[in-house]
């Protein structure tokens, strides 16, 4: 009888790429990935859209998007001898949320759902390495390298071209049976595997995500101006947030889920099986005033292994200051803002001043 690890079984895989692809997908699901597709190492079709995006200046301060365009479009330039890309996704919802039509719980600090637990980049890379090791046990040595939003890779385009979903009007990938609350990862390989094919698009005439965006960042279907996007402003951007966008930010202190929450396809969103996505340090229930009391050592201790580290302490406090300004009038907020002014940099102080004025305007 042939065992799963026998030379005969390995030979079958080498002679039958479809069987190997099917086996790889089973292994991916067993490792906790929600889906797995095999993509061509070719994203040339995405390049004109990125170039238009850059020409419009919609990328803001994300200058890294201007670099390595050739490698983004052609993965074989990034990792030579790449023959196929194993694309995976991880669902990250801990519980199915209700659509957030308007900012609720105004004294709460809203953190994007993907960022409430462990940094998914670490989880994703670790499991991709495990997947690579499993494959090597079956077929022998081959070249591979895992990615999780960590290199010039058109990860969404690769996954879309292999049927992981379609790009919605909010520019995120949507899966017909799973919605969009997931993160992507890739394993570049030298394996000759059969490629999966694209799926069809199903946004139709719906404009819910465009209409709900608090800062009107989705300037047209499938085109996002990051300079107006709350996710960009509260995570990537380190400067003074334009005053005309601050009220729209509301109490979102790290990222924004609104365009996803309103999407009808997310009625099918799946909850995660991966413990790393479960909230840490009460980040799903934190109040603005509680977080405002954090000094930098507390921030560092409370965000160890968390995506929130990406903002840095001062930018995180800037975001909370905006949330406090947008909260209902409370003398305790004004007092807390005034008492903490000295421990923050000039950028944060600009937002403290604005927030105090916003609070005072609500007291009249």
């Amino acid at each position: 009888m042939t065992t799963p690890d026998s030379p005969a079984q390995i030979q079958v895989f080498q002679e039958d790429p479809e069987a190997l692809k099917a086996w790889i997908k089973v292994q991916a699901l067993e490792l906790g990935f929600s889906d797995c597709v095999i993509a061509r190492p070719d994203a040339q079709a995405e390049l004109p859209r990125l170039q238009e995006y850059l020409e419009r200046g919609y990328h803001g301060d994300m200058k890294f998007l201007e670099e390595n365009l050739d490698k983004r479009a052609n993965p074989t330039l990034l990792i030579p001898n790449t023959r196929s890309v194993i694309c995976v996704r991880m669902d990250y919802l801990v519980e199915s949320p209700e659509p957030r039509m308007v900012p609720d719980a105004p004294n709460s600090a809203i953190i994007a759902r993907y960022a409430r637990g462990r940094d998914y980049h670490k989880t994703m890379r670790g499991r991709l390495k495990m997947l690579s090791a499993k494959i090597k046990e079956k077929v022998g040595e081959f070249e591979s390298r895992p990615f999780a939003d960590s290199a010039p890779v058109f990860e969404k385009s690769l996954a879309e071209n292999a049927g992981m979903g379609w790009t919605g009007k909010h520019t995120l990938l949507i899966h017909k049976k799973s919605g969009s609350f997931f993160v992507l990862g890739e394993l570049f390989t030298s394996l000759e595997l059969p490629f999966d094919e694209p799926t069809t698009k199903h946004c139709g005439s719906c404009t819910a995500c465009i209409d709900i965006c608090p800062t009107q960042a989705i300037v047209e279907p499938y085109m996002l101006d990051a300079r107006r996007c709350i996710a960009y402003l509260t995570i990537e951007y380190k400067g003074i947030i334009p005053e005309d966008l601050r009220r729209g930010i509301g109490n979102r202190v790290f990222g924004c889920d609104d365009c996803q929450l309103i999407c009808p396809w997310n009625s099918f969103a799946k909850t995660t099986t991966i413990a790393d996505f479960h909230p840490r340090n009460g980040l799903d229930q934190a109040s603005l005033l509680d977080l405002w009391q954090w000094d930098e050592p507390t921030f560092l201790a409370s965000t160890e292994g968390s995506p929130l580290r990406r903002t840095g302490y001062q930018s995180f406090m800037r975001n909370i200051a905006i949330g406090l300004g947008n909260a209902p009038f409370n003398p305790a907020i004004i007092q807390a803002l005034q008492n903490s002014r000295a421990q923050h940099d000039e950028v944060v102080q600009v937002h403290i001043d604005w927030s105090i004025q916003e609070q005072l305007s609500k007291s009249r």
Side-chain angles (χ1 to χ4, degrees), residues 45-46 48-54 56 58 156 160 165-174 199-211 213 216-226 259 263 265:
E46 186 67 18
R49 188 160 192 83
L50 175 60
Q51 289 172 327
E52 180 184 359
Y53 180 81
L54 296 173
R56 294 189 186 188
Y58 288 168
K156 183 177 65 177
E160 181 174 19
W166 74 92
T167 297
K169 293 178 182 177
H170 49 22
T171 75
L172 301 172
L173 205 63
I174 303 174
T199 185
T200 50
K201 298 179 182 292
H202 298 278
C203 283
S205 60
C206 179
T207 60
C209 60
I210 298 174
D211 299 336
C213 180
Q216 293 80 57
I218 308 171
V219 295
E220 61 187 73
Y222 314 106
M223 188 62 76
L224 177 81
D225 185 348
C259 64
C263 178
W265 290 109

Side-chain angles (χ1 to χ4, degrees), residues 92-96 113 270-272 277-279:
Y92 60 76
L93 283 181
V94 173
E95 58 185 5
S96 299
R113 283 158 178 78
K270 302 294 192 296
T271 53
T272 187
F277 287 113
H278 285 253

